Amino acid sequence: MTDTTHIVFLLFPGITQLDFTAPAQALSRMPGAVLAGAAARFDPIATDSGFAILPTHDFASAPQADILCIPGGHGVIEALNDAATIDFIARQAAGAEWVTSVCTGAFLLGHAGLLQGKRATTHWGYTHLLPLVGAEFQPARIVEDGNIVTSGGVTSGLDFALTLIARIQGDAVAQAIQLAIEYDPAPPFPGGHPDRAPEAVTAGLKARVYDAAAARMEAALRS
Amino acid sequence: MTDTTHIVFLLFPGITQLDFTAPAQALSRMPGAVLAGAAARFDPIATDSGFAILPTHDFASAPQADILCIPGGHGVIEALNDAATIDFIARQAAGAEWVTSVCTGAFLLGHAGLLQGKRATTHWGYTHLLPLVGAEFQPARIVEDGNIVTSGGVTSGLDFALTLIARIQGDAVAQAIQLAIEYDPAPPFPGGHPDRAPEAVTAGLKARVYDAAAARMEAALRS
């Protein structure tokens, strides 16, 4: 990597914005970092949270990534079917030093052929689908296999970004960024993962959201 | 509060985007939530992370907030001197059920007169300046005083949002949102706060960034 580190995030409609914005907050403070948010077009990207983000680049104008990062969200299903998006991921990944995903972004990496034979993770509601893209699910918040780093659901992107910064520029840089963003988490409940959440909370969320969402993802991956 | 909860975030150039995007991710999933990002103008808001966000409203068109949330960032200093911004905060706060801030957004609340005689917190690099807006610093990640809720630096906004959701709609709703965004944090280092970070990391960061930044904030607050 040169003194400049190009960090390219894929942006697409229906993105879970924190999958992008949390790692972007940490990675953009890494010395030499230049961040790009690349989308198929320059149109504003409607996020899942009621506001829109502007891409900095379209696919044609995006720089070659040193770090490629693919966020997730319900828009992943549409993006899976978009050849230009999958081509962009494959082309960028071929030249990147690190190829990464947050949440269900793993399935975009996988659909582009990048998780074949790799250990990987994704949002807890979708981990059983990783074999459909040739990956082996490893139960961890961050999974590194060669230059491929996948992380779990949404908020894992911050832990992933700080871990990657430590790998690239050393612990002191990552620790200073963690302190600057006062990342000393105090979640109000212990159960941010099904392993620790009350069973009823997990069951309710699966019934209301994730069983159907995972079925839609499975259909998209098999089509 | 009616079945619809209007959540209005102030947006301004130079915002620390995670101060907005992290609580927005959690709060926008609260049943009945309608999120607004209000700025002086409809122009794209350049954030601190290399990308821009589109406001959903300008100050004139923003709905009355049920929850008003003021993020921080280096752009706070310019915003402190903008009468339209301070007027917007004061006007919205007068009709809001909850008046909140993340990070150095506390100084915008304070400059609008809302922290007079209140216990409050802000980013660790600026806590000594809270008395300049009439507030008493309380060393906690989230500080509630009446309907005013202030939180610490940047990433505290997620803990704040989940805590507020639990207060408004109950633990079950907040716990489900925490699980949906897989908020089961695993920071790579224990030191996300000066109380726990190695002294050299804190001292280095103060020397490089926060001593000068706090001096600029102090000058803006005294002018």
Side-chain angles (χ1 to χ4, degrees), chain A residues 37-101:
Chain A
R41 286 167 297 279
F42 278 104
D43 303 336
I45 296 292
T47 74
D48 71 330
S49 301
F51 68 91
I53 288 169
L54 285 183
T56 62
H57 296 79
D58 62 7
F59 291 162
S61 65
Q64 170 59 51
D66 296 304
I67 301 171
L68 176 66
C69 186
I70 312 297
H74 63 82
V76 162
I77 289 178
E78 195 169 338
L80 281 170
N81 292 315
D82 184 64
T85 297
I86 301 300
D87 287 353
F88 176 74
I89 294 169
R91 177 164 53 82
Q92 281 279 343
E97 301 215 18
W98 296 94
V99 174
T100 73
S101 66

Side-chain angles (χ1 to χ4, degrees), chain A residues 98-99 109 114-115 118-119 143-150:
Chain A
W98 296 94
V99 174
L109 280 189
L114 296 157
L115 297 185
K118 302 284 184 183
R119 288 171 287 107
V143 175
E144 208 176 314
D145 188 341
N147 74 330
I148 310 266
V149 187
T150 52

Side-chain angles (χ1 to χ4, degrees), chain A residues 188-189, chain B residues 30 161-175:
Chain A
F189 306 102
Chain B
M30 190 170 69
L162 290 166
T163 301
L164 189 64
I165 293 166
R167 284 292 308 274
I168 295 174
Q169 297 203 355
D171 285 2
V173 171
Q175 203 159 17

Side-chain angles (χ1 to χ4, degrees), chain B residues 14-217:
Chain B
I15 192 173
T16 294
Q17 55 87 11
L18 198 61
D19 292 6
F20 159 58
T21 54
Q25 187 69 59
L27 288 166
S28 67
R29 295 198 181 192
M30 190 170 69
V34 176
L35 184 139
R41 285 167 297 279
F42 278 103
D43 304 337
I45 297 292
T47 73
D48 70 330
S49 300
F51 68 91
I53 287 169
L54 284 182
T56 62
H57 296 79
D58 63 7
F59 290 161
S61 65
Q64 169 60 50
D66 297 305
I67 302 170
L68 176 66
C69 186
I70 312 298
H74 64 81
V76 162
I77 288 177
E78 194 169 336
L80 282 170
N81 292 315
D82 183 63
T85 298
I86 301 300
D87 287 352
F88 176 75
I89 295 170
R91 177 164 54 83
Q92 282 278 343
E97 301 215 19
W98 296 93
V99 175
T100 73
S101 66
V102 178
C103 200
T104 52
F107 294 104
L108 287 168
L109 280 189
H111 205 59
L114 296 157
L115 296 185
Q116 207 55 247
K118 302 283 184 185
R119 287 170 288 107
T121 193
T122 185
H123 186 287
W124 61 261
Y126 303 83
T127 52
H128 60 291
L129 299 178
L130 284 169
L132 290 179
V133 290
E136 179 196 343
F137 167 51
Q138 181 174 328
R141 194 157 167 89
I142 303 162
V143 175
E144 208 177 314
D145 188 340
N147 74 332
I148 310 266
V149 187
T150 52
S151 57
V154 196
T155 57
S156 69
L158 192 52
D159 299 319
F160 142 72
L162 290 166
T163 301
L164 189 64
I165 293 166
R167 284 292 308 274
I168 295 174
Q169 297 203 355
D171 285 2
V173 171
Q175 203 159 17
I177 293 172
Q178 184 179 325
L179 182 58
I181 60 175
E182 208 169 318
Y183 186 42
D184 187 39
F189 305 101
H193 187 277
D195 288 352
R196 283 165 289 285
E199 273 181 44
V201 175
T202 305
L205 208 49
K206 280 173 64 72
R208 286 196 309 281
V209 180
Y210 290 105
D211 287 347
R216 283 194 300 275
M217 182 75 82

